[in-house]
Amino acid sequence: MKDEEKWLEKAQSLDAADPLREWRDQFYFPQKDGEDLIYLCGNSLGLQPKSVEKFVQQELEDWKKHGVEGHFEGKNAWYYYHHFLEEAAARLVGADKKEVVVMNSLTVNLHLLMISFYRPEGQRKKILIESPAFPSDQYAVDSHAKLHGFYADDVVVEMFPREGEETIRTEDILQQITDLGDELALVMIGGVNYYTGQFFELEKITAAAHAVGAFAGFDLAHAAGNVPLELHDWGVDFAVWCSYKYLNSGPGGTSGAFVHERHGNNPDLVRLAGWWGNDEKTRFQMPRKFIPQEGAAGWQISNAQVFSMAPHMASLEIFDEVGMPALRAKSLKLTGFLEEMLDAVNAEAGNQRFKIITPRDSHHRGCQLSILVDGGGKQVFEALTADGIVADWREPNVIRLAPVPLYNKFEEAFRFVRILSEC
Ligand SMILES: *Cc1c(COP(=O)(O)O)cnc(C)c1O
């Protein structure tokens, strides 16, 4: 790497000026030989906030002390547990608190909301998704096609980048929606694509879907806690996200779901019901007929999974304190700095070493950069791992890097690029 000293100085001065630099101390970093690893994998599993232990301990204590009475006597009464998360979760995605609920896990919530929002009728039966979509999303939409008696290939329409391009142009998405017209029932795409890191223009896509009479729902697994979201104002019909990637709430952690307020109290929407979605005032009277709670909470089925929601409560407290605007501001700088250094070392090698396939325009990405390494990519990845980098490999030839603004440093981005340039 040329100009190593200069890059290092720049990284150190950016760290010194970073208003979020102290948040790093609130997380545990995996180590090797007593040194923190360079963790660029927060897009896959976020690091553990030190405060999680206290939140989980609280629930263990309440269970120990109160037994069943913990539902009402506990510090965070379990009967109302989801309420303790809704305001912070709503702020994260730009929603009203009645529009969000924390429950289940991500793909389960996607299925529950597709039950309500994929209601094919007559010729309106197509689902538009992006390619490559995360496998779980592909399986989910295919299975809903089957549920309604269709062949998935007949109703699931995939959108691809143009020949020679890596990401999908917004104009092409909007055109495809218009072309599908009254055959389109639902647009369901990943808000930030897991593979390329492309942040889709959700507001425009939602408006285009509505213009042809379709619903728009998004999987925000890679978007929540990463990019600014205004789900309510954008008019999005529904969305789901997980809590364990950028939201640092632990493996297999709980999920968030959004249902726009114009649908939240619509009794005509079909849903799979369970007692926890029932009105809280009559829930324990065990009424024969289901009376849904207002808003997204009415999609709950089972009682709150307190032990996966407690770490999420710890994490949401951090996000609330930091705030998405400050996180995004640092994210733009940190990812931009990594990109600048990657471009510099690639230029030294005649731009032959790798290619950044994530959009270059920062409005169209979060903090992830995906680099395509043709030939020997897996060996490069293994060498990085041996040198203390935790990144993420995706077949056939992509290394995904996520410098997370909450806990990564500019100097780590520098050290990563220096190691990469030596691989
Ligand atoms: C991570 C991820 C999932 C994972 O789903 P789970 O149900 O939480 O296992 C699903 N979809 C997308 C787009 C993801 O990135």
Side-chain angles (χ1 to χ4, degrees):
M1 184 180 191
K2 273 192 218 146
D3 300 324
E4 223 178 277
E5 281 305 310
K6 188 198 84 183
W7 287 115
L8 175 59
E9 265 171 41
K10 185 163 178 196
Q12 288 171 338
S13 73
L14 285 164
D15 278 325
D18 169 16
L20 303 186
R21 65 182 179 275
E22 279 165 14
W23 280 101
R24 177 183 175 83
D25 301 333
Q26 304 302 317
F27 290 84
Y28 290 111
F29 282 75
Q31 297 197 330
K32 191 174 143 191
D33 307 327
E35 298 263 341
D36 287 351
L37 293 173
I38 298 180
Y39 197 82
L40 300 176
C41 211
N43 58 327
S44 198
L45 186 75
L47 292 179
Q48 183 185 146
K50 290 180 180 168
S51 56
V52 158
E53 200 168 333
K54 181 183 80 189
F55 280 78
V56 175
Q57 198 59 41
Q58 177 70 47
E59 305 315 331
L60 286 169
E61 277 305 310
D62 282 342
W63 182 21
K64 195 194 281 177
K65 198 158 126 200
H66 301 294
V68 69
E69 296 304 334
H71 282 101
F72 297 99
E73 306 284 315
K75 175 166 176 274
N76 306 310
W78 304 324
Y79 191 77
Y80 302 107
Y81 208 80
H82 72 273
H83 290 302
F84 308 135
L85 301 136
E86 66 197 0
E87 290 191 15
R91 278 190 281 275
L92 204 61
V93 296
D96 181 76
K97 68 175 187 176
K98 286 259 185 300
E99 293 175 311
V100 299
V101 64
V102 171
M103 60 180 183
N104 309 316
S105 47
L106 169 55
T107 311
V108 171
N109 285 340
L110 178 58
H111 278 300
L112 295 181
L113 293 179
M114 280 192 67
I115 290 282
S116 301
F117 290 95
Y118 178 56
R119 307 298 309 163
E121 237 187 270
Q123 62 172 0
R124 192 183 288 285
K125 57 189 179 192
K126 295 205 165 146
I127 309 172
L128 185 63
I129 66 167
E130 89 275 31
S131 179
F134 192 82
S136 203
D137 296 6
Q138 296 174 17
Y139 307 152
V141 297
D142 285 2
S143 61
H144 278 266
K146 282 191 200 152
L147 182 67
H148 288 279
F150 308 130
Y151 289 110
D153 288 348
D154 291 342
V155 295
V156 177
V157 180
E158 290 183 79
M159 284 175 296
F160 296 90
R162 291 186 189 185
E163 188 72 31
E165 298 184 6
E166 308 292 346
T167 52
I168 310 174
R169 296 189 193 192
T170 304
E171 64 200 89
D172 290 354
I173 300 174
L174 303 183
Q175 189 61 49
Q176 190 142 16
I177 292 172
T178 308
D179 291 347
L180 287 166
D182 58 10
E183 291 182 8
L184 185 63
L186 175 67
V187 178
M188 209 308 288
I189 63 179
V192 171
N193 182 264
Y194 83 103
Y195 187 73
T196 63
Q198 177 177 12
F199 177 22
F200 290 104
E201 295 191 79
L202 307 185
E203 185 175 17
K204 291 182 187 168
I205 293 169
T206 302
H210 291 171
V212 299
F215 286 132
F218 300 111
D219 181 336
L220 302 177
H222 287 268
N226 179 21
V227 290
L229 297 166
E230 293 296 340
L231 300 184
H232 175 86
D233 288 351
W234 296 345
V236 170
D237 296 293
F238 74 90
V240 291
W241 58 94
C242 58
S243 66
Y244 50 82
K245 291 172 179 168
Y246 294 105
L247 296 176
N248 317 307
S249 304
T254 189
S255 162
F258 166 89
V259 177
H260 198 279
E261 83 180 346
R262 69 179 172 277
H263 304 302
N265 301 324
N266 177 357
D268 297 332
L269 274 181
V270 172
R271 69 177 94 182
L272 296 182
W275 74 321
W276 223 252
N278 195 83
D279 181 12
E280 281 163 347
K281 293 189 287 296
T282 58
R283 185 192 283 153
F284 272 7
Q285 295 162 18
M286 311 288 179
R288 173 65 190 87
K289 288 268 188 276
F290 177 68
I291 308 160
Q293 287 186 50
E294 267 186 85
W299 269 260
Q300 292 173 103
I301 292 184
S302 298
N303 72 99
Q305 289 159 310
V306 167
F307 286 102
S308 74
M309 290 161 76
H312 194 38
M313 208 185 279
S315 163
L316 286 175
E317 189 180 84
I318 294 173
F319 274 82
D320 244 0
E321 225 175 295
V322 178
M324 276 312 290
L327 266 183
R328 177 65 168 170
K330 176 174 172 188
S331 178
L332 292 172
K333 282 191 191 144
L334 181 57
T335 304
F337 182 59
L338 175 62
E339 179 186 33
E340 210 185 319
M341 286 186 294
L342 285 170
D343 283 340
V345 299
N346 208 22
E348 287 167 26
N351 294 313
Q352 298 292 315
R353 302 189 60 173
F354 52 77
K355 181 173 172 194
I356 298 178
I357 60 170
T358 304
R360 295 303 195 138
D361 180 344
S362 59
H363 292 101
H364 297 156
R365 69 184 188 206
C367 68
Q368 173 184 330
L369 290 180
S370 299
I371 60 176
L372 184 118
V373 191
D374 264 334
K378 193 72 197 277
Q379 284 98 302
V380 172
F381 179 74
E382 279 160 8
L384 289 172
T385 306
D387 274 333
I389 310 283
V390 186
D392 173 278
W393 172 254
R394 286 290 131 160
E395 294 292 347
N397 47 15
V398 162
I399 298 173
R400 298 188 304 172
L401 310 164
V404 169
L406 201 47
Y407 48 69
N408 283 125
K409 296 207 285 191
F410 291 85
E411 192 173 333
E412 287 176 303
F414 161 77
R415 283 166 53 209
F416 164 76
V417 175
R418 186 174 59 191
I419 292 169
L420 177 73
S421 74
E422 283 159 11
C423 281

PDB file of all heavy atoms in Angstrom, residues 38 105 147 172 192 224 341:
ATOM      1  N   ILE A  38     -10.466  -7.496  13.863  1.00  0.00           N
ATOM      2  CA  ILE A  38     -11.079  -6.398  13.098  1.00  0.00           C
ATOM      3  C   ILE A  38     -12.415  -6.928  12.593  1.00  0.00           C
ATOM      4  O   ILE A  38     -12.478  -7.726  11.657  1.00  0.00           O
ATOM      5  CB  ILE A  38     -10.166  -5.944  11.944  1.00  0.00           C
ATOM      6  CG1 ILE A  38      -8.851  -5.407  12.522  1.00  0.00           C
ATOM      7  CG2 ILE A  38     -10.877  -4.876  11.093  1.00  0.00           C
ATOM      8  CD1 ILE A  38      -7.858  -4.932  11.489  1.00  0.00           C
ATOM      9  N   SER A 105     -39.515 -14.295  14.667  1.00  0.00           N
ATOM     10  CA  SER A 105     -38.275 -14.025  13.947  1.00  0.00           C
ATOM     11  C   SER A 105     -38.638 -13.587  12.529  1.00  0.00           C
ATOM     12  O   SER A 105     -39.801 -13.609  12.126  1.00  0.00           O
ATOM     13  CB  SER A 105     -37.356 -15.242  13.979  1.00  0.00           C
ATOM     14  OG  SER A 105     -38.087 -16.392  13.663  1.00  0.00           O
ATOM     15  N   LEU A 147     -49.118 -21.903  -1.928  1.00  0.00           N
ATOM     16  CA  LEU A 147     -50.246 -21.859  -0.989  1.00  0.00           C
ATOM     17  C   LEU A 147     -51.544 -21.479  -1.707  1.00  0.00           C
ATOM     18  O   LEU A 147     -52.629 -21.945  -1.374  1.00  0.00           O
ATOM     19  CB  LEU A 147     -49.924 -20.848   0.113  1.00  0.00           C
ATOM     20  CG  LEU A 147     -50.890 -20.628   1.252  1.00  0.00           C
ATOM     21  CD1 LEU A 147     -50.981 -21.883   2.120  1.00  0.00           C
ATOM     22  CD2 LEU A 147     -50.426 -19.452   2.105  1.00  0.00           C
ATOM     23  N   ASP A 172     -35.547   0.982 -13.971  1.00  0.00           N
ATOM     24  CA  ASP A 172     -35.956  -0.330 -14.486  1.00  0.00           C
ATOM     25  C   ASP A 172     -36.990  -0.991 -13.572  1.00  0.00           C
ATOM     26  O   ASP A 172     -37.900  -1.673 -14.039  1.00  0.00           O
ATOM     27  CB  ASP A 172     -34.738  -1.252 -14.635  1.00  0.00           C
ATOM     28  CG  ASP A 172     -33.817  -0.793 -15.770  1.00  0.00           C
ATOM     29  OD1 ASP A 172     -34.193   0.152 -16.494  1.00  0.00           O
ATOM     30  OD2 ASP A 172     -32.718  -1.378 -15.913  1.00  0.00           O
ATOM     31  N   VAL A 192     -32.235  -3.179   1.677  1.00  0.00           N
ATOM     32  CA  VAL A 192     -30.822  -3.139   1.293  1.00  0.00           C
ATOM     33  C   VAL A 192     -30.492  -4.563   0.876  1.00  0.00           C
ATOM     34  O   VAL A 192     -30.686  -5.494   1.655  1.00  0.00           O
ATOM     35  CB  VAL A 192     -29.913  -2.694   2.460  1.00  0.00           C
ATOM     36  CG1 VAL A 192     -28.442  -2.880   2.113  1.00  0.00           C
ATOM     37  CG2 VAL A 192     -30.177  -1.238   2.834  1.00  0.00           C
ATOM     38  N   ALA A 224     -32.518  -1.997   8.644  1.00  0.00           N
ATOM     39  CA  ALA A 224     -32.848  -1.469   9.976  1.00  0.00           C
ATOM     40  C   ALA A 224     -31.563  -1.249  10.780  1.00  0.00           C
ATOM     41  O   ALA A 224     -30.728  -2.138  10.895  1.00  0.00           O
ATOM     42  CB  ALA A 224     -33.771  -2.449  10.703  1.00  0.00           C
ATOM     43  N   MET A 341      -9.769   4.201   0.177  1.00  0.00           N
ATOM     44  CA  MET A 341      -8.525   3.430   0.308  1.00  0.00           C
ATOM     45  C   MET A 341      -8.535   2.200  -0.597  1.00  0.00           C
ATOM     46  O   MET A 341      -7.513   1.853  -1.191  1.00  0.00           O
ATOM     47  CB  MET A 341      -8.329   2.997   1.765  1.00  0.00           C
ATOM     48  CG  MET A 341      -7.913   4.125   2.672  1.00  0.00           C
ATOM     49  SD  MET A 341      -7.522   3.538   4.342  1.00  0.00           S
ATOM     50  CE  MET A 341      -9.119   2.983   4.899  1.00  0.00           C
TER      51      MET A 341
END
